Amino acid sequence: MSRHGSPIPMTSHACGPLSGIANVPGDKSISHRALILGALCVGETWITGLLEGDDVLDTAQAMRAFGACVTDHGGGVWSVQGVGVGGFAEPDGVIDCGNSGTGVRLIMGAMATSPITATFTGDASLNGRPMGRVTDPLALFGAQAVGRHGGRLPMTIVGAADPAPVRYMVPVPSAQVKSAVLLAGLNAPGQTVVIEKEATRDHTERMLQGFGATVHVAQTDEGRVITLDGQPELIAQNIVVPRDPSSAAFPVCAAIIVPGSDVLVPNIGLNPTRAGLFTTLQEMGADLTYENLREEGGEPVADLRARFSPNLRGVVVPPARAASMIDEYPVLSVVAVFAEGVTDMQGVKELRVKESDRIDAMAKGLRAAGVTVDEGPDWWQVTGLGHGEVPGGVTVESRLDHRIAMAFVVMGMATQQPMHVDDGSPIATSFPVFEALMAELGAQIARDC
Ligand code: S3P
């Protein structure tokens, strides 16, 4: 159950062809960043197309607690009156980031170089996730963290009164860690340098530049080196949030596995740091095309057209692609079930520390539904059964993880027997209109309460 209410058991039944247009909500990663940078700039930032999911609403609330004036104008239009770099006030109460690892980690970074103290908490999922990956580099700036055993939330961060700039090699492929360090570097003098061996989503770098910070990115033998000049004056912006490729993944994959389907998912960002799923689906033989390919706000954007794909085959998904589709493995594993042969997903250790251990959550549910899954610490393999051959007919656990819930709901659209998900309430964190949007396309999803 999400912290906002009771569990919502759901059943997804096999359905006829999915068809129509799927207008998925705004990008979650970009929405968090727009609110946080809006709060750190001087002047009023206007945001259009903000994702109004619980994760982002929690970040909006947190920005208010740090002193920014955040206003919902309706219809996805929001404004943020910023307090300037270094201008965060000390919150009166505990900052509750709900289910959101991105929210808590980025906000910790953003406050860690100001002379204020804040205490963070979240739901049972978030309070089980590792924060040491963020507090370790924040300590180099001079911030102190005290949390529960194993670096877990609830946790208090005492911001550095006299921060030093940092040069930090990110030890795990994580845009959240990279972003926390960059946001902390905003209020440190001199240059903060972050090095990542593998490129992860680059929304923070892009948006910092958009707000007027000086950020240089260079590809070197060490990896991708990002250099930020500290203590800039960030200038208010108008931000149009593109639609979320990680949410687009669900109607796209549903169309690919449901016979006769033909779905258009317009205006999806194809930033290479986010588009790994779509490349993988094409390699599997999916009928997925990019229409109206164009550039918007410096990002490649296209309308995705996904049709039922009768001849899917298993593929090897290489470790180098993992960061660009890290949130899409649960739904990819569902498509793999309807393919012929084995889909081998490698270099995916990070999946074990997401909202749930996503390899374990998917493997248990898929096995219960009649699918063979093999796994190791950083890999897993799904043996496809082919279209029409997947039994289903079981209840699976979503484990407070929106993407696990949606992946199994998509699966039930093409299994022989319906799929039951014990709790669909986490879907509201990232895709609050999921059920309505999928129903509009022709899905048969019922709430069992
Ligand atoms: C995100 C980064 C990824 C991703 C998450 C959003 C971000 O996490 O899984 O949903 O917005 O920076 P990691 O940075 O931990 O890989």
Side-chain angles (χ1 to χ4, degrees):
M1 160 178 81
S2 82
R3 86 199 153 91
H4 293 292
S6 321
I8 303 177
M10 284 182 185
T11 297
S12 177
H13 298 264
C15 55
L18 299 170
S19 68
I21 297 177
N23 281 315
V24 303
D27 190 283
K28 181 154 73 72
S29 294
I30 294 175
S31 295
H32 283 296
R33 287 159 173 81
L35 288 169
I36 295 169
L37 288 183
L40 287 173
C41 75
V42 173
E44 193 166 50
T45 288
W46 283 82
I47 308 168
T48 306
L50 189 85
L51 167 64
E52 293 174 341
D54 289 344
D55 279 10
V56 175
L57 298 179
D58 286 330
T59 289
Q61 196 55 30
M63 291 304 98
R64 290 185 182 115
F66 282 100
C69 180
V70 182
T71 309
D72 174 4
H73 298 273
V77 178
W78 290 61
S79 64
V80 186
Q81 184 71 47
V83 294
V85 168
F88 269 178
E90 188 165 84
D92 290 333
V94 172
I95 304 296
D96 189 341
C97 289
N99 190 251
S100 181
T102 307
V104 76
R105 291 180 175 134
L106 268 56
I107 297 167
M108 281 180 174
M111 60 73 58
T113 47
S114 292
I116 55 173
T117 296
T119 300
F120 296 87
T121 192
D123 67 6
S125 157
L126 188 59
N127 287 358
R129 296 179 68 184
M131 294 297 142
R133 53 178 53 200
V134 170
T135 55
D136 287 352
L138 296 185
L140 303 176
F141 287 97
Q144 292 168 279
V146 183
R148 285 194 306 133
H149 182 70
R152 266 48 182 189
L153 301 177
M155 177 174 276
T156 296
I157 307 278
V158 182
D162 192 12
V166 157
R167 181 180 173 85
Y168 191 67
M169 170 86 80
V170 183
V172 286
S174 169
Q176 293 176 357
V177 176
K178 168 179 67 177
S179 302
V181 177
L182 288 171
L183 292 172
L186 278 176
N187 199 35
Q191 290 188 323
T192 286
V193 181
V194 188
I195 304 149
E196 53 180 5
K197 287 187 212 104
E198 300 157 47
T200 61
R201 66 191 69 192
D202 60 357
H203 306 302
T204 303
E205 299 91 300
R206 286 175 188 255
M207 205 181 284
L208 278 169
Q209 286 166 336
F211 273 86
T214 302
V215 180
H216 292 292
V217 181
Q219 198 61 49
T220 73
D221 291 346
E222 276 186 302
R224 198 165 163 270
V225 180
I226 306 143
T227 305
L228 167 75
D229 288 359
Q231 299 180 326
E233 181 170 304
L234 301 180
I235 299 149
Q237 298 296 308
N238 286 329
I239 296 175
V240 179
V241 180
R243 297 181 191 275
D244 197 327
S246 297
S247 295
F250 296 99
V252 162
C253 290
I256 286 168
I257 63 170
V258 174
S261 297
D262 185 348
V263 170
L264 189 71
V265 192
N267 294 325
I268 299 303
L270 291 176
N271 178 322
T273 64
R274 297 290 298 279
L277 172 74
F278 306 127
T279 306
T280 304
L281 291 172
Q282 287 173 329
E283 287 175 1
M284 294 176 82
D287 187 348
L288 172 65
T289 50
Y290 302 152
E291 297 185 355
N292 197 13
L293 197 56
R294 58 206 182 271
E295 200 164 285
E296 272 176 22
E299 299 264 3
V301 171
D303 304 336
L304 302 183
R305 180 141 203 184
R307 297 183 180 92
F308 173 60
S309 307
N311 299 312
L312 294 170
R313 54 189 176 272
V315 293
V316 176
V317 190
R321 198 178 294 159
S324 69
M325 53 178 291
I326 196 66
D327 291 332
E328 282 67 78
Y329 284 95
V331 75
L332 172 68
S333 72
V334 166
V335 175
V337 168
F338 296 88
E340 301 288 343
V342 173
T343 293
D344 182 1
M345 295 164 276
Q346 302 176 350
V348 289
K349 195 165 64 195
E350 280 295 300
L351 290 181
R352 298 213 178 264
V353 290
K354 294 293 177 188
E355 285 83 333
S356 66
D357 175 341
R358 285 182 169 161
I359 297 177
D360 187 63
M362 288 308 299
K364 289 220 166 67
L366 291 175
R367 285 182 192 128
V371 181
T372 299
V373 182
D374 297 301
E375 62 180 291
D378 71 343
W379 60 270
W380 53 317
Q381 295 177 339
V382 173
T383 301
L385 294 169
H387 288 294
E389 305 297 330
V390 186
V394 290
T395 299
V396 295
E397 291 178 357
S398 63
R399 300 193 191 177
L400 284 179
D401 189 329
H402 51 134
R403 302 206 195 277
I404 300 299
M406 288 186 280
F408 282 123
V409 168
V410 166
M411 182 171 170
M413 296 175 197
T415 46
Q416 291 166 346
Q417 300 298 322
M419 289 292 290
H420 309 281
V421 177
D422 69 338
D423 181 13
S425 66
I427 294 171
T429 61
S430 68
F431 200 160
V433 297
F434 173 76
E435 288 163 270
L437 180 146
M438 294 307 305
E440 185 79 9
L441 298 176
Q444 303 285 329
I445 307 167
R447 290 190 175 200
D448 305 327
C449 36

